[in-house]
């Protein structure tokens, strides 16, 4: 806490006294006000023979750019899983009991029902080999579904957001800045609405298909759809015809993914709503002496603008002491000449030391 308060004091002094040169070379372990003096130019130091190029803006990269698999890779993984599992279940097709249509179709259908954990029970393994295969592919299937949930569902929602963007564009008559602000401010809500629309369409499609093709009444069709998309899979109502299982192979995968995304965006929207309410309360409530004491980080009984801003950001949860400590540590590592400022020369030397 002492280091944190010292850092705030240094930041405050530097912003309030930008022209005052109080820089002194200190060991890197000591954080003095001069270390965080904000200036337009850096303290002079020895420069390399060739002057550095002007700083250029570099587009940000995805935090998981080197780890997160691409959509194409996930799609290939899904196809490989589907092919491998379907082949295995086709081979042991005579070791399974239940309603049959076509051996290849039944194998693919059972793979989808297993992967999504729907588990109707209309096709079940009936030997030790088939049961062990089912156990293995259900765990692999859950992993594949998780990857698909992260990629395919997001792609679908992005397309819905694009349609929403066009609708807002027509409503606001080309006021792009206001439109982008509205979308960014209510991003979680729009995601939830977009996913809800897709979910309703998928449910309606499933109900209609079960009613027309599987010859179920409306209540049973609705019942089967709900038990399927929530992966309950009671099994008393399912897709038993040939064309029904062809439809189910595609519909079950998409609908179960969308349901998971629906509840995820609902939770995200609820969290965002609570954060906005908290921010509004913090920003509109009357400031008291208790707040001034808490915002007086340097203990001089005067709260400066930087101190007040940092205190408010901490109060609404936008920044923490741990965050500031990380930033200060990065600053120390880059400030190789301990001048309290950063220059292109500091970056060159710091980067060369890291190699």
């Amino acid at each position: 806490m002492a280091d944190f308060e010292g850092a705030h004091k240094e930041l405050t002094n530097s912003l309030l006294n930008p022209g005052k040169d109080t820089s002194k070379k200190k060991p890197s372990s000591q954080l003095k006000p001069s270390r965080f003096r904000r200036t337009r130019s850096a303290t002079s130091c020895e420069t390399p023979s060739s002057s550095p190029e002007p700083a250029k803006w570099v587009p940000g990269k995805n935090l998981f750019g080197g780890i997160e698999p691409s959509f194409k890779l996930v799609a290939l993984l899904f196809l490989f899983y589907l092919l491998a599992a379907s082949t295995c279940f086709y081979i042991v097709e005579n070791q399974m009991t239940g309603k049959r249509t076509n051996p290849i179709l039944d194998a693919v259908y059972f793979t989808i029902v297993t992967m999504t954990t729907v588990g109707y029970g209309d096709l079940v393994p009936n030997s030790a080999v088939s049961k062990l295969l089912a156990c293995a592919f259900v765990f692999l299937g859950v992993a594949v579904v998780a990857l698909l949930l992260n990629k395919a569902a997001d792609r679908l929602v992005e397309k819905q957001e694009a349609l929403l963007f066009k609708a807002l564009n027509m409503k606001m008559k080309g006021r792009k800045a206001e439109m982008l602000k509205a979308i960014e401010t209510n991003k979680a809500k729009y995601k939830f609405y977009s996913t809800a629309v897709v979910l309703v369409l998928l449910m309606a499609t499933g109900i209609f298909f079960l009613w027309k093709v599987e010859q179920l009444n409306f209540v049973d069709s609705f019942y089967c759809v709900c038990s399927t998309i929530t992966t309950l899979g009671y099994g008393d109502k399912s897709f038993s015809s040939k064309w029904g299982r062809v439809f189910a192979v595609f519909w079950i995968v998409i609908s179960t993914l969308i349901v998971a995304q629906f509840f995820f965006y609902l939770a995200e929207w609820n969290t965002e709503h609570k954060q906005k309410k908290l921010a509004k309360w913090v920003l509109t409530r009357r400031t008291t002496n208790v707040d001034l004491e808490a915002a007086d980080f340097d203990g001089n009984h005067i709260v400066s603008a930087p101190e007040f801003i940092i205190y408010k950001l901490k109060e609404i949860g936008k920044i923490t002491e741990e965050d500031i400590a990380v930033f200060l540590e990065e600053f120390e590592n880059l400030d190789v000449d301990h001048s309290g400022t950063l220059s292109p020369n500091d970056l060159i030397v710091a980067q060369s030391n890291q190699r």
Side-chain angles (χ1 to χ4, degrees):
M1 185 65 185
D3 290 342
F4 177 71
E5 293 181 355
H8 280 297
K9 183 176 180 181
E10 293 154 6
L11 178 60
T12 303
N13 292 338
S14 65
L15 293 177
L16 295 179
N17 303 284
K20 187 177 179 181
D21 186 8
T22 58
S23 61
K24 295 180 181 179
K25 293 190 175 183
K26 297 290 182 180
S28 60
S29 59
Q30 299 179 10
L31 302 179
K32 295 299 181 181
S34 60
R35 293 293 313 284
F36 301 93
R37 183 168 54 85
R38 184 178 179 180
T39 60
R40 291 184 178 272
S41 59
T43 306
S44 61
C45 61
E46 294 183 3
T47 60
S49 56
S50 59
S51 57
E53 296 180 358
K56 296 181 180 180
W57 179 81
V58 179
K61 295 182 178 179
N62 192 323
L63 180 62
F64 302 99
I67 301 176
E68 189 177 7
S70 65
F71 178 77
K72 290 182 179 179
L73 181 60
V74 173
L76 289 175
L77 181 62
F78 169 70
L79 291 176
F80 176 78
Y81 170 86
L82 188 62
L83 178 62
S86 300
T87 302
C88 290
F89 290 129
Y90 174 76
I91 294 173
V92 297
E93 184 263 344
N94 60 343
Q95 302 176 30
M96 302 182 69
T97 58
K99 299 176 183 178
R100 306 294 183 87
T101 57
N102 176 275
I104 297 178
L105 178 60
D106 289 343
V108 177
Y109 170 76
F110 182 76
T111 298
I112 295 298
V113 170
T114 301
M115 180 186 72
T116 56
T117 68
V118 171
Y120 284 127
D122 50 354
L123 276 177
V124 294
N126 197 30
S127 68
V129 175
S130 59
K131 289 179 180 178
L132 289 176
L133 284 174
C135 292
F137 280 111
V138 71
F139 282 103
L140 292 174
V142 169
V144 172
V145 167
L147 291 174
L148 282 175
L149 178 62
N150 185 38
K151 291 295 180 182
D154 278 345
R155 280 292 185 91
L156 189 58
V157 171
E158 284 174 6
K159 291 186 180 295
Q160 292 296 319
E161 287 179 341
L163 294 175
L164 179 63
F165 184 90
K166 291 179 181 179
L168 286 174
N169 189 24
M170 294 176 61
K171 182 179 179 182
M172 296 186 174
K173 297 179 180 179
R175 290 177 291 176
K176 188 175 181 179
E178 295 181 15
M179 181 172 50
L180 290 174
K181 183 178 180 181
I183 291 178
E184 186 63 29
T185 304
N186 302 286
K187 194 171 183 179
K189 181 173 71 173
Y190 289 148
K191 284 182 178 180
F192 172 75
Y193 285 161
S194 300
T195 311
V197 170
V198 177
L199 179 58
V200 170
L201 292 176
L202 285 170
M203 291 183 65
T205 303
I207 291 172
F208 180 80
F209 193 91
L210 286 166
W211 174 48
K212 284 294 184 181
V213 177
E214 297 293 338
Q215 301 298 315
L216 299 179
N217 60 44
F218 177 79
V219 174
D220 287 342
S221 299
F222 180 71
Y223 166 77
C224 182
V225 165
C226 291
S227 64
T228 300
I229 64 177
T230 56
T231 70
L232 286 173
Y234 289 121
D236 52 338
K237 304 295 179 182
S238 61
F239 297 89
S240 56
S241 67
K242 180 179 179 180
W243 288 110
R245 289 186 175 178
V246 171
F247 172 79
V249 164
F250 300 96
W251 181 81
I252 290 176
V253 174
I254 298 174
S255 59
T256 51
L257 291 174
I258 291 297
V259 166
Q261 203 76 353
F262 172 81
F263 286 108
F264 173 78
Y265 286 141
L266 176 61
E268 185 182 16
W269 182 22
N270 182 55
T271 302
E272 184 182 89
H273 179 67
K274 290 181 178 180
Q275 289 177 343
K276 286 182 179 180
K277 287 182 64 176
L278 174 62
K280 184 178 180 181
W281 177 78
V282 170
L283 295 174
T284 56
R285 74 180 180 87
R286 182 175 297 178
T287 303
T288 64
N289 290 330
V290 176
D291 295 317
L292 294 181
E293 292 178 5
D296 185 19
F297 297 108
D298 55 8
N300 62 353
H301 304 292
I302 297 175
V303 177
S304 62
E307 286 179 320
F308 186 78
I309 293 172
I310 293 174
Y311 170 70
K312 286 292 185 179
L313 290 174
K314 286 181 57 183
E315 198 172 20
I316 63 177
K318 294 292 185 180
I319 193 171
T320 64
E321 297 182 15
E322 290 77 12
D323 296 331
I324 297 177
V326 172
F327 299 149
L328 294 179
E329 182 179 357
E330 181 182 4
F331 186 92
E332 286 185 30
N333 295 333
L334 295 175
D335 186 18
V336 293
D337 61 356
H338 310 307
S339 63
T341 59
L342 293 180
S343 67
N345 297 322
D346 288 325
L347 297 181
I348 293 173
V349 176
Q351 291 172 0
S352 64
N353 292 338
Q354 292 175 357
R355 294 175 183 172

